[in-house]
């Protein structure tokens, strides 16, 4: 969002995402863990000595769950109510299923002037753009025309339709992280697009964003020991009922839900996983995943099946995991080594076996 600009220069403050994040108090005091629904508390947590207070449900097209080890002000009922409120609010902001969400309205807005949005939405867009750009645009929140073309849009079920090159090029022309801008002006927040057809899809970071909001709720309520997750994104803090720090299992694809490839101790950091194996269609023996490479305009078809990322916030992990998955294991690890980012990749080897490769920074999170 360093490229943010205003249609009325001089009036608006052009902020970089980092500054914006600072204003919003987005510090990296994370907790967390997470993952793509494949991550579950490990066996040790299952053998808990005391029962945690739990809440959960469905929202944003997926499931969420919260576990509090200790007291929650107002008890289980309050936890359920507070968390549901957060989920509903995020849906109102960014749901692509809800035509009345803030983001849906921006997408259907046929102008190029400033469009006012909530602070939360502005932050989410700015941060995701910044992180996407940091990995060469591999996570691209303007990728919707391609998502839709390949049949992964909100109204569709992927049916194995493979579009021709001309339609792919046509859809690609409608993308562009440099053609979307976040503007802060006199304490109000706006999105602005360079052309009316530009479409913003935050579905890849909604889960991480939600996990951060859950963590924020816990901090606000003075809860010291918790594990919260929305599908593949999680945050945790303190200790589990077993009396030890929370652990999270990273599960391999096509294995039983409980079969962990690896168990990690997130150490109060956020964790999330992007996988190519949960939403896809198959045609002529080839698998087309819902993760789309904005450069080729095609679903990824390489052997990297999932990427797990650890960072202070789940918005960061969730914005990076999809793009790193798109880049594939070699480029993802290259980026991770250069930046010191902890990542863990599951790769299908030539024999069809699932093997893992991770960056140096990830090692310290592996459970002993
Ligand atoms: P996962 O199952 O890996 O957790 P997510 O739900 O986080 O997947 O994100 C997948 C969705 O993100 C897709 O359904 C699509 O709407 C969108 N998407 C696909 N490719 C990209 C991309 N390169 N950048 C950003 N969003 C993408
Ligand atoms: Mg993601």
């Amino acid at each position: 969002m360093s490229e943010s600009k205003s249609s009325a220069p001089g009036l608006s403050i052009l902020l970089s995402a980092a500054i914006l994040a600072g204003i919003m108090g987005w510090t990296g005091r994370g907790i967390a863990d997470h993952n793509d629904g494949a991550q579950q508390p490990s066996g040790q947590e299952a053998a808990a000595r005391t029962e945690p207070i739990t809440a959960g449900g469905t929202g944003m097209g997926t499931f969420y769950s919260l576990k509090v080890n200790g007291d929650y002000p107002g008890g289980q009922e309050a936890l359920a109510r507070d968390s549901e409120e957060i989920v509903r609010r995020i849906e109102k902001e960014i749901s692509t299923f809800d035509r009345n969400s803030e983001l849906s309205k921006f997408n259907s807005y046929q102008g190029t002037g400033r469009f006012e949005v909530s602070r939360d939405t502005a932050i989410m867009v700015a941060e995701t753009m910044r992180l996407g750009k940091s990995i060469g645009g591999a996570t691209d929140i303007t990728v919707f025309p391609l998502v839709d073309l390949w049949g992964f849009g909100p109204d569709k079920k992927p049916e194995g339709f493979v579009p021709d090159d001309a339609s792919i090029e046509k859809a690609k022309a409608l993308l562009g992280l440099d053609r979307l801008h976040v503007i802060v002006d006199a304490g109000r927040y706006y999105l602005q697009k360079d052309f009316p057809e530009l479409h913003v899809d935050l579905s890849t970071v909604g889960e991480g964003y939600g996990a951060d909001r859950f963590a924020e709720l816990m901090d606000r309520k003075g809860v010291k020991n918790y594990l919260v997750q929305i599908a593949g994104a999680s945050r945790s803090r303190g200790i589990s009922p077993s009396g030890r720090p929370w652990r999270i299992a990273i599960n391999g694809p096509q294995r039983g839900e409980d079969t962990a490839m690896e168990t990690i101790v997130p150490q109060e950091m956020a964790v999330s996983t992007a996988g190519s194996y949960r939403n896809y269609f198959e045609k002529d023996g080839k698998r087309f995943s819902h993760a789309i490479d904005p450069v080729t305009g095609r679903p990824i078809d390489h052997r990297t099946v999932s990427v797990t990322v650890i960072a202070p916030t789940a918005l960061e992990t969730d914005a990076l995991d999809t793009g790193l998955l798109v880049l594939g294991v070699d480029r993802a690890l290259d980026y991770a080594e250069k930046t010191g980012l902890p990542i863990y990749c599951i790769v299908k080897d030539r024999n069809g076996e699932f093997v893992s490769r991770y960056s140096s920074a990830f090692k310290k999170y592996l459970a002993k």
Side-chain angles (χ1 to χ4, degrees):
M1 116 148 215
S2 42
E3 286 81 359
S4 294
K5 66 178 187 194
S6 155
S7 43
L11 280 180
S12 61
I13 311 166
L14 310 186
L15 294 186
S16 79
I19 297 168
L20 194 49
I23 291 173
M24 305 316 174
W26 277 43
T27 59
R29 27 170 186 103
I31 310 256
D33 67 353
H34 117 20
N35 92 341
D36 64 302
Q39 288 175 8
Q40 304 285 335
S42 72
Q44 282 90 341
E45 271 75 47
R49 271 177 246 141
T50 50
E51 287 298 314
I53 302 176
T54 61
T58 54
M60 299 161 62
T62 184
F63 69 89
Y64 64 93
S65 88
L66 300 94
K67 289 192 173 76
V68 171
N69 176 30
D71 292 330
Y72 185 85
Q76 198 279 333
E77 251 177 57
L79 179 67
R81 195 181 53 235
D82 295 346
S83 53
E84 173 154 9
E85 205 177 284
I86 287 175
V87 170
R88 299 297 161 240
R89 199 178 75 215
I90 299 173
E91 284 178 337
K92 267 209 194 97
E93 287 163 355
I94 65 158
S95 174
T96 43
F97 295 95
D98 178 357
R99 298 204 182 282
N100 288 316
S101 74
E102 212 173 53
L103 207 58
S104 293
K105 284 183 179 158
F106 174 66
N107 285 331
S108 53
Y109 167 55
Q110 289 303 305
T112 56
R114 292 171 173 199
F115 188 94
E116 187 163 8
V117 293
S118 64
R119 187 178 82 160
D120 287 357
T121 300
I123 295 281
M124 217 182 319
V125 170
E127 265 296 272
T128 313
M129 281 168 69
R130 179 181 72 82
L131 292 158
K133 286 176 188 176
S134 79
I135 49 173
T139 297
D140 184 341
I141 56 171
T142 68
V143 79
F144 185 79
L146 286 168
V147 171
D148 197 44
L149 179 67
W150 284 91
F152 295 105
D155 308 328
K156 302 187 179 171
K157 279 216 175 332
E159 276 167 6
F161 164 73
V162 178
D164 59 31
D165 292 355
S167 337
I168 293 173
E169 286 310 312
K170 217 169 125 192
K172 267 177 68 178
L174 297 173
L175 272 55
L177 284 178
D178 50 350
R179 301 197 277 177
L180 171 65
H181 314 279
V182 182
I183 298 160
V184 188
D185 186 3
R188 298 172 88 150
Y189 298 82
Y190 306 88
L191 299 184
Q192 190 245 313
K193 47 190 171 184
D194 287 357
F195 58 99
E197 298 79 22
L198 187 97
H199 190 114
V200 182
D201 176 8
L202 288 175
S203 47
T204 197
V205 286
E207 297 160 5
Y209 180 77
D212 285 340
R213 296 286 74 76
F214 283 164
E216 214 174 73
L217 170 72
M218 296 297 159
D219 293 346
R220 205 164 62 230
K221 298 282 180 182
V223 174
K224 296 277 176 272
N225 303 302
Y226 60 83
L227 168 65
V228 295
Q229 66 187 124
I230 301 193
S234 70
R235 300 249 332 227
S236 58
R237 185 173 207 174
I239 55 169
S240 79
S242 70
R244 296 179 313 158
W246 299 96
R247 289 171 168 233
I248 289 181
I250 301 175
N251 289 340
Q254 295 163 3
R255 298 186 181 205
E257 275 285 298
D258 311 305
T259 317
M261 283 281 286
E262 200 61 71
T263 302
I264 59 172
V265 185
Q267 305 175 21
E268 313 212 335
M269 296 282 273
V271 186
S272 77
T273 302
S276 61
Y277 52 87
R278 284 196 306 152
N279 189 356
Y280 61 84
F281 66 82
E282 268 172 14
K283 181 119 198 277
D284 304 331
K286 212 171 146 165
R287 185 173 285 196
F288 295 90
S289 151
H290 71 155
I292 293 185
D293 185 341
V295 174
T296 62
R298 292 160 195 281
I300 56 170
D301 59 359
H302 48 59
R303 296 179 168 275
T304 309
V305 293
S306 79
V307 177
T308 298
V309 178
I310 296 180
T313 69
L315 179 65
E316 284 170 83
T317 63
D318 214 5
L320 291 171
D321 63 10
T322 305
L324 292 174
L325 175 69
V326 164
L327 292 179
V329 66
D330 293 325
R331 285 191 289 166
L333 284 172
D334 197 42
Y335 172 85
E337 291 302 343
K338 275 189 190 130
T339 55
L341 183 73
I343 72 166
Y344 178 95
C345 310
I346 299 178
V347 182
K348 194 174 187 179
D349 73 9
R350 306 251 163 246
N351 308 319
E353 287 290 307
F354 294 109
V355 296
S356 64
R357 288 173 64 191
Y358 51 85
S359 65
S360 329
F362 196 88
K363 198 159 191 271
K364 70 170 187 175
Y365 297 101
L366 294 171
K368 301 279 174 327

